[in-house]
Amino acid sequence: MTQNVSPVAQPALALRALTRRFGSQVAVDHVSLDVARGELLALIGASGSGKTTTLRMIAGYEFPDEGRVLLTGDDGVQRDITALPPQKRNFGMVFQHYALFPHMTVGENVAFGLEARGMSKRERAARAEQALAATGLGGAAGRPVQSLSGGEQQRVALARAIVIEPQVLLLDEPLSNLDYALRQAMHTELRATLRRFGVTVVFVTHDQEDAFAVADRVAMMSRGRLLQVGSPDELYDRPASREVAEFIGRATLVPARFDGQCATIRIGESERCVQAVASSDSATPRDVVAVLRPDALGFTSPEASDAWPGIVSGRRFTGALVAYRVRVSDTIEVEVVSHDRSVREGDRVALRVTREPVAVV
């Protein structure tokens, strides 16, 4: 099931049935998507899903075999830019490897794109300093690029893309070169910086944590198709398909019977009815799978009427929480996260659904 949520009547950027083939392989398959002015949209998916090819078609580095790329200008007029080369689209782009010039200073790197716009050297330097200050690198214009840390290089690349005042900013795996700790710190910083500039942003990432932390909406792709578009919590709590449910977050999918309101889940000899929600509006009783997220399960008393008995088969300390694997039948093992550190592998426990409704697909 493909969902295309159009946030505004006149989007800043619109893709219409965008298709790209390489020989017999369809890399992007009739993708339609709207991006609102000032919105941060993430394209996510596994390798080969078509997200990077889609970004390259938006940028003009690839031309679609079918479909159109439409851009709404400041005058409110929507124009077809499908055939325009990259240099005529007024888009900023931050590449995965930043593509900074090692023989230039930080300021020269940032000001590079302004020279072609006919600005004087003084004006270019002033604009570059402003962009660096906005990305937290004020006063660094004279530094050599080689002296920068990974996070600082990422900010220089961002400043260089923003200094030209682009209508749309495109980011290709902008955090993938950073170590885990720096990546976590950059989530908030990157979102705040992009918000400050108010630019329309499309960024590609294979890391859903990056997407959830930075984006307003997330568009998930697989095998060239758009599977679902929505806010991070919509994709997590109400996936449109089994494929989305398995890719987004962690979950155990268990068979259930859904009547439109309740999902009857049978595990071993125990059958429980839990409040459920489906991505479709059909209320016809049908066989589905219930998406049991680790944060929607919790330990309970074995005597509780809604308890599922199980045995702890694995334990992983994550800091604030402990992630447990619990075998609840011969064929089903679920994950549960808990603040309780006292449970050990081999312990007999009881579980219940602690957060409803659960998603069914």
Side-chain angles (χ1 to χ4, degrees):
M1 175 178 177
T2 299
Q3 293 187 355
N4 177 28
V5 182
S6 182
V8 288
Q10 186 75 304
L13 178 71
L15 312 183
R16 294 291 176 262
L18 216 57
T19 302
R20 184 72 173 104
R21 303 183 186 89
F22 297 100
S24 61
Q25 179 188 0
V26 181
V28 177
D29 192 358
H30 292 86
V31 167
S32 294
L33 180 65
D34 290 344
V35 187
R37 188 175 300 278
E39 181 179 24
L40 311 180
L41 179 95
L43 286 175
I44 68 170
S47 296
S49 63
K51 59 188 186 297
T52 297
T53 302
T54 300
L55 191 77
R56 288 177 60 82
M57 285 191 287
I58 296 172
Y61 294 109
E62 294 278 354
F63 292 103
D65 295 294
E66 298 174 28
R68 297 181 298 157
V69 180
L70 306 174
L71 181 68
T72 301
D74 293 335
D75 57 4
V77 177
Q78 190 177 67
R79 297 177 175 86
D80 189 333
I81 64 168
T82 311
L84 283 183
Q87 64 271 22
K88 293 189 176 180
R89 298 195 180 198
N90 192 33
F91 287 0
M93 187 154 186
V94 177
F95 296 93
Q96 182 175 354
H97 298 290
Y98 307 146
L100 300 179
F101 301 114
H103 63 284
M104 293 183 181
T105 65
V106 167
E108 289 169 342
N109 264 279
V110 174
F112 179 77
L114 298 175
E115 187 172 359
R117 287 164 169 78
M119 289 187 184
S120 67
K121 186 174 182 179
R122 183 188 297 271
E123 189 177 0
R124 295 198 304 268
R127 287 274 296 274
E129 185 56 52
Q130 290 172 0
L132 285 167
T135 55
L137 283 176
R143 292 176 59 184
V145 168
Q146 295 93 329
S147 71
L148 302 179
S149 67
E152 289 171 331
Q153 289 185 28
Q154 195 263 358
R155 289 187 233 171
V156 172
L158 184 60
R160 184 176 62 183
I162 288 174
V163 75
I164 63 172
E165 298 181 349
Q167 284 188 265
V168 177
L169 179 62
L170 307 175
L171 310 177
D172 182 14
E173 299 279 6
L175 303 175
S176 63
N177 290 331
L178 307 180
D179 61 49
Y180 180 79
L182 184 54
R183 219 168 155 160
Q184 299 300 302
M186 287 298 294
H187 283 157
T188 302
E189 186 174 319
L190 179 59
R191 179 174 171 84
T193 300
L194 296 173
R195 272 277 171 262
R196 260 196 315 274
F197 282 97
V199 66
T200 303
V201 177
V202 179
F203 75 97
V204 158
T205 179
H206 68 279
D207 191 305
Q208 58 188 271
E209 188 174 353
D210 290 350
F212 283 9
V214 178
D216 300 315
R217 286 192 307 150
V218 176
M220 181 180 164
M221 296 185 67
S222 177
R223 297 183 298 277
R225 290 184 174 271
L226 194 62
L227 298 187
Q228 186 173 358
V229 185
S231 65
D233 55 315
E234 286 172 343
L235 268 69
Y236 186 83
D237 289 330
R238 195 166 178 170
S241 66
R242 180 170 186 148
E243 189 169 1
V244 176
E246 290 176 330
F247 186 84
I248 299 294
R250 300 176 67 86
T252 304
L253 275 59
V254 297
R257 184 76 173 163
F258 182 55
D259 65 7
Q261 293 182 324
C262 171
T264 301
I265 303 172
R266 185 175 184 84
I267 297 178
E269 300 301 316
S270 303
E271 191 173 86
R272 303 285 180 264
C273 182
V274 299
Q275 184 183 354
V277 61
S279 55
S280 69
D281 296 327
S282 172
T284 305
R286 62 193 189 278
D287 293 325
V288 295
V289 290
V291 182
L292 299 182
R293 300 288 189 191
D295 56 295
L297 298 171
F299 295 122
T300 188
S301 167
E303 289 75 33
S305 60
D306 57 352
W308 275 303
I311 298 176
V312 177
S313 58
R315 182 184 189 278
R316 178 168 53 88
F317 180 68
T318 65
L321 297 168
V322 180
Y324 296 98
R325 299 292 303 178
V326 180
R327 183 166 293 281
V328 291
S329 77
D330 290 340
T331 58
I332 299 176
E333 191 174 65
V334 300
E335 184 173 326
V336 55
V337 291
S338 174
H339 290 285
D340 187 349
R341 300 184 182 184
S342 65
V343 180
R344 292 290 181 263
E345 290 187 25
D347 286 357
R348 292 187 175 275
V349 295
L351 299 178
R352 61 180 292 269
V353 174
T354 56
R355 181 169 63 83
E356 300 178 79
V358 300
V360 296
V361 292

